[in-house]
Coordinates of all heavy atoms in Angstrom, one line a residue:
G152 N -52.1 -17.6 23.5 CA -52.4 -18.8 22.9 C -53.9 -19.1 22.5 O -54.2 -19.9 21.6
G153 N -54.7 -18.3 23.1 CA -56.2 -18.5 22.8 C -56.8 -19.5 23.8 O -56.1 -20.1 24.6
I212 N -22.7 7.9 31.4 CA -23.7 6.9 31.7 C -25.1 7.3 31.3 O -25.9 6.6 30.7 CB -23.6 6.5 33.2 CG1 -22.3 5.9 33.5 CG2 -24.8 5.6 33.6 CD1 -22.0 5.7 35.0

Side-chain angles (χ1 to χ4, degrees):
I212 294 174

